[in-house]
Every structure is written in structure tokens, then in C-alpha cells.
Amino acid sequence: MQHYAYWTERSYKRSFGLRMLGFALGLLVLIAPVYAQEVLRIPYVADIGTFDPDNGFEVGGISAINNVYEGLVDYEPGSTRIVGLLAKSWEISDDGLTYTFHLVDGVKFHDGTPFNAAAVIQAFERRRDGGLILSYFLANVKDMRAPDDSTVVLTLGHPQPSFLDTLSSPWGPKIISPVALAEHDNGDFATTWLNEHAAGTGPFKLAEFKRGQRYVLERNDDYWGDKPFFRQIQISVVPDISQQILQLQAGTIDAVPIDYPFAQLTSLPGGLEITAAPSMIPYYLFVKPNSPLDDAEVSKAVLTAINPALWVKDAFGEFASVSRSVYPNVMLDPVNPIRFPTDFEAAKAAIARHGGVNLTIGLYSAAPSYGRIADLMIAQLALIGVKATAYVLPAGAAYTLKDDPNPPDLLLTIAGPDAAHPESQARAFFTRNGSLNFFGQVLPEADAVVDRAGQLIDVKGRDALYERAGQMYFDAGIVIPLVDVNDVVVHAKGLKDLGLRPVNPPGNIDFATVRWGP
């Protein structure tokens, strides 16, 4: 009996255990989707160089940084409208020199330090005075004051109507915990520590930084604003787009933020969908001095052949439009758009009179879009007798072309601005001292128009002058605008409110707004 009782008790325990196991598995089935919904899995094609918001021009990872750190103002998602962030309101003096910001109450940094005006001043001084890469954003700020804990007063050296756009830029100044700055300043303004650590006020905290492998953001449950949908953002480094696509189809990541082949967008597998939004992603050709295009007849013939209206659909389908000026279409709607000549017979005759023309096109990147555009233009140029070749420039070589003894005749590159104001486009790419004036081309009379435009507050008058200067740069053969490409993210069905902003580099999902939805 005892033997029998023993096995009966054992059988009962085994049966009870199986029932409990089944119950637990059932719970897991119910819990797993909930857990998965709380975690967003995003791949990056390139590693994050630094998480320091003041000391690196991050592109692919800017949304991660901007969900950990915040500035005074920001661009509204899907728009170039400036809205308050850590500043709830502001005033600008009549002379355009003094900006007074009134700060949001009750904000704390991730390390528990209270946010106040003194923290803003310290963070801004670090960027402006620390010799950091992005110091130029505040170069015109001559004085900073905090009359009380909730007010910041910035005084400019000269009127700068683009100043609020500068502060709203994805790379604009962010506020860092003053305690963290003090604790980790080893004579380097805490740059070493901030490369891989963070202490901001944003909706997410940096929880894990494994260089070249993965990054994890955790929701800031003490955030002063609206709480994000996702509890955690898991970011993996997956340089190969084909691997990203396979992972997306297998359900191990939730989106391919950039570089999904445009040719495949019309036949996505089931379970995937597209979010596309207007963006400031214009592809341009910059022209070197003393190129074959210095000849007006050759230039007109080449423009006829490469007219982007002839190939934009082949390259990007419905996700791009012909550029209307030397500024992104979202930034400026020109009264008189740039026009390309269309007489192919005249173009062929012109090239024949010159005994044939050879052109080299340097590609800023090996990304598929560059090669696709180049191939299409080369085919078009062949139709008029121009022999063109293209090659991918070494990393960073585009920034040294003005000193290159043998540069390409044309540089194909994306020319996206820092901010939504035309000043940021003109000053960076076209004027004499522009940091991205790739070939160092100079047109003083156009620069003078840009100078005048930069002083105007009236948008209509301002844009008219910027448009005139842009036409001058184009007519002088300095830059050839081609196409503006949408920001296109391929993701699992049901992912909503990606928060894409026109000024942001492509694929930068706003982790604070994105969610699962019907």
C-alpha cells in the first residue's frame, strides 16, 4: 500500500506539475506579444561614433541622441514648424539681438539633478567655448544670462533671423546634467565620458553602449512630458542591408530605416509596410573649376542629357521629385523653378562640334542610390556623345576635393542642411567660406545676395533673395540640383507615428512618438 501510495502521490505531483507547466506556457503565450510590443528593435547601418551631443556630427544615430537629450526648441514631427521643448515660450527683442526663453518647470536630468537656467548656460558655454565640433551653432551668442532659475537670456553679436532654426536643428545645442559634466571633467569638458555615457532630460535613458554591437535605451519613467509607448529600444549594428531585410522578414527586427532598395518597394512581402515622408534629402552635382562644363555650349548639352525629369521615376519610383531650386523643396518653394534645357538634337550637335567630351563623376558614397543615379545619368550622357564614368570616393575624400590634384569633374552627393532655414543651406554649400563648398567655388555677387537675405525676417522677401542667389550659383555652373528623395522606412505592419522630421537625416525614427497601433 505504501508503495502504491508513493506512486499515486508521485503521479499526482507529476500531473499537477504538467498542469502548472501548461498554465505557465499559456501565460508566456499571452505575455510574449505584450513584451514584444514594449520593445522596439531597430538596426543601424553604421556605428555611433560618439553619444556626445556637442562633439560629433552623427547622422544615423541622431534620433537616439535626441531622445536622450533635449534642447530648448525643436521641429514638430513631419514639419519645419518650431515648437517649444525645454522652453515653453520665448520672446525676441525688436532689434533681433536678445532671445528670452522661459523654461518648463519640474524637469529632472536622468541622474536626478534638477533642470534649471544655470544648467542651460553651462551646457551652452561648454558647446560654444570648449573647442567642440558643433561649437559653430552658438558662435554668434555673445552673452548668456540666467536672471532666475526658469529664465535664460541669450544676446547675439548681430541679428540672426535663422537663430531659432539653429537651436531647433537635430544637431542643435542640447542640455547636459551639470553634475555629470563636473564629475567627469578630466580637463576635456567630459568629452571622454560622454562618448559612451549620457545624462540628459529626454524620454529615454542610455542603458547600454556596446560599441559596434548594440545600444539600448530604457524609457525614462520620470519624464516630464508624454511617456513613450515603448519601454525599451534595442539598437543593433547591421551594416549589410540584405541582412537587415532578412531579419525584418524573420521578425527579429521591426524596421529597415534606410537604404531599402527602391526597386523592391512596390512588391514588399506580406506583413511589411512603408512610411514615407517629405525630407530635405536633395541629391546634387557639384562642379569643379576648369571642368569641361566651363564651356557654355558643353554645359547646356550636359544639362540637357542629365535632366532629372528623364530618370527620377526609374531611380526612385514615387518616392522622389525633381529639385526645384538649389534648396530642398520642403525648405523653399521657388517662384521660378530651375529649368533644364530639353533639345537633345542640339545637345548632340554641340558635343559633336567639340569632338566628344569625357566626364568623371565622383560618388560620395557606395550606397545603392548613388550608383543608380550615376548609371542613369551616364546612359543619358551617352545618347549625346559624352563618355562619362563614375567611381566611389574614399571615405572622407569629398571634403578634401579642393586640395585634390586630380578630382572628379562632378561630385554626386546628398546636400542636406543643418536646419530648415535657407541660410543653413547657402552658408554651408555655396558661399566662399562654406564648410561644404566642396570645390571651393566662389561667386561674390551671389554671396552678397545671401548676406542681404540673412538679415530679413519677412519670409517672402527673404526667400526671394535666397532664390535669386541660388539661380546665380546654378547659372555660374557651381551646383546642379537633381532630385529630392523622400524619407522611406520599411517596417512591420502596425508601427505608427514614426515622427519623421524633414530636417533629420533619413531613417531617424522618433522613439518618443512611435507606437504599435491598428
Side-chain angles (χ1 to χ4, degrees):
M1 289 291 297
Q2 290 182 346
H3 182 72
Y4 174 79
Y6 169 78
W7 280 105
T8 302
E9 181 181 0
R10 183 179 179 187
S11 299
Y12 172 79
K13 289 181 177 178
R14 180 175 179 272
S15 175
F16 178 78
L18 288 172
R19 290 198 301 271
M20 290 303 297
L21 177 60
F23 177 71
L25 288 173
L27 278 179
L28 285 174
V29 169
L30 292 172
I31 292 170
V34 175
Y35 176 82
Q37 284 194 343
E38 289 187 344
V39 178
L40 182 67
R41 302 157 302 172
I42 298 294
Y44 283 176
V45 295
D47 201 9
I48 296 176
T50 177
F51 220 84
D52 188 334
D54 295 327
N55 204 33
F57 215 98
E58 294 299 322
V59 175
I62 197 67
S63 66
I65 294 171
N66 289 351
N67 272 276
V68 170
Y69 291 104
E70 296 174 305
L72 296 179
V73 290
D74 194 9
Y75 290 117
E76 191 174 53
S79 169
T80 58
R81 177 173 173 261
I82 295 172
V83 295
L85 196 54
L86 289 175
K88 59 186 177 183
S89 63
W90 57 89
E91 298 96 40
I92 306 172
S93 62
D94 290 341
D95 62 6
L97 292 176
T98 304
Y99 289 68
T100 302
F101 295 93
H102 305 285
L103 307 182
V104 174
D105 298 322
V107 179
K108 289 187 177 182
F109 290 96
H110 298 158
D111 60 7
T113 304
F115 165 77
N116 55 28
V120 176
I121 300 298
Q122 183 170 344
F124 279 23
E125 287 178 342
R126 174 186 187 260
R127 175 177 285 218
R128 185 192 64 178
D129 305 332
L132 306 181
I133 290 173
L134 301 180
S135 62
Y136 68 93
F137 276 79
L138 296 174
N140 189 30
V141 178
K142 301 307 177 186
D143 183 64
M144 309 183 198
R145 293 187 297 111
D148 57 57
D149 281 351
S150 60
T151 309
V152 171
V153 180
L154 305 179
T155 303
L156 307 185
H158 58 78
Q160 183 185 343
S162 63
F163 184 61
L164 279 179
D165 283 275
T166 298
L167 296 183
S168 303
S169 166
W171 301 277
K174 306 300 187 292
I175 318 304
I176 306 170
S177 164
V179 171
L181 289 176
E183 287 181 350
H184 301 286
D185 185 357
N186 295 316
D188 62 351
F189 295 96
T191 55
T192 299
W193 186 79
L194 286 169
N195 276 337
E196 300 184 1
H197 303 83
T201 60
F204 285 92
K205 302 177 181 181
L206 178 61
E208 186 177 334
F209 189 108
K210 289 187 177 180
R211 188 172 295 282
Q213 299 178 49
R214 78 182 223 137
Y215 308 94
V216 176
L217 307 182
E218 294 281 357
R219 183 170 57 206
N220 176 14
D221 289 327
D222 295 324
Y223 184 54
W224 61 272
D226 294 336
K227 303 299 186 292
F229 177 90
F230 288 102
R231 177 181 58 80
Q232 186 180 89
I233 311 296
Q234 296 177 359
I235 300 167
S236 54
V237 180
V238 185
D240 188 281
I241 293 299
S242 62
Q243 288 299 314
Q244 288 193 20
I245 293 172
L246 289 173
Q247 290 181 21
L248 178 61
Q249 293 175 355
T252 57
I253 60 174
D254 298 309
V256 172
I258 61 171
D259 290 341
Y260 203 103
F262 283 89
Q264 298 179 26
L265 293 178
T266 56
S267 56
L268 291 178
L272 302 184
E273 60 184 350
I274 296 169
T275 293
S279 187
M280 295 186 188
I281 310 172
Y283 283 81
Y284 291 174
L285 287 171
F286 288 87
V287 187
K288 80 168 184 180
N290 305 312
S291 80
L293 273 67
D294 283 357
D295 184 289
E297 194 174 45
V298 171
S299 177
K300 185 175 182 180
V302 168
L303 290 175
T304 302
I306 66 171
N307 182 350
L310 300 173
W311 50 262
V312 60
K313 295 299 182 185
D314 289 334
F316 300 105
E318 64 182 278
F319 299 105
S321 57
V322 172
S323 299
R324 294 166 53 82
S325 74
V326 302
Y327 308 94
N329 294 339
V330 177
M331 175 185 286
L332 189 150
D333 185 14
V335 175
N336 297 298
I338 283 174
R339 301 188 186 283
F340 285 73
T342 58
D343 190 336
F344 254 77
E345 293 305 316
K348 286 193 285 187
I351 297 302
R353 283 193 296 273
H354 284 77
V357 172
N358 296 322
L359 288 175
T360 56
I361 305 172
L363 309 184
Y364 176 85
S365 166
S369 295
Y370 285 92
R372 181 62 175 155
I373 292 174
D375 288 344
L376 290 167
M377 290 195 301
I378 288 169
Q380 290 292 121
L381 288 166
L383 296 177
I384 64 168
V386 173
K387 183 179 180 181
T389 57
Y391 63 96
V392 178
L393 294 168
Y399 305 111
T400 60
L401 288 178
K402 65 183 69 175
D403 301 316
D404 189 331
N406 188 33
D409 297 306
L410 302 165
L411 169 67
L412 175 62
T413 185
I414 290 175
D418 286 355
H421 195 288
E423 182 83 354
S424 64
Q425 187 80 1
R427 292 291 180 196
F429 294 101
F430 312 134
T431 58
R432 176 188 295 270
N433 296 316
S435 57
L436 296 173
N437 183 340
F438 294 101
F439 288 108
Q441 295 262 45
V442 176
L443 192 64
E445 55 269 36
D447 290 2
V449 177
V450 170
D451 289 340
R452 289 169 53 199
Q455 300 302 310
L456 296 183
I457 297 174
D458 172 63
V459 173
K460 185 175 180 180
R462 171 200 86 181
D463 285 356
L465 288 178
Y466 282 117
E467 180 182 336
R468 185 194 309 173
Q471 185 71 51
M472 294 166 73
Y473 293 123
F474 174 74
D475 290 342
I478 291 174
V479 60
I480 304 170
L482 298 174
V483 293
D484 283 34
V485 181
N486 287 348
D487 195 350
V488 179
V489 179
V490 179
H491 54 80
K493 282 187 176 179
L495 205 60
K496 307 291 184 183
D497 298 337
L498 273 63
L500 305 177
R501 290 169 169 80
V503 184
N504 282 12
N508 276 279
I509 297 168
D510 188 342
F511 303 138
T513 64
V514 66
R515 62 183 177 85
W516 291 113

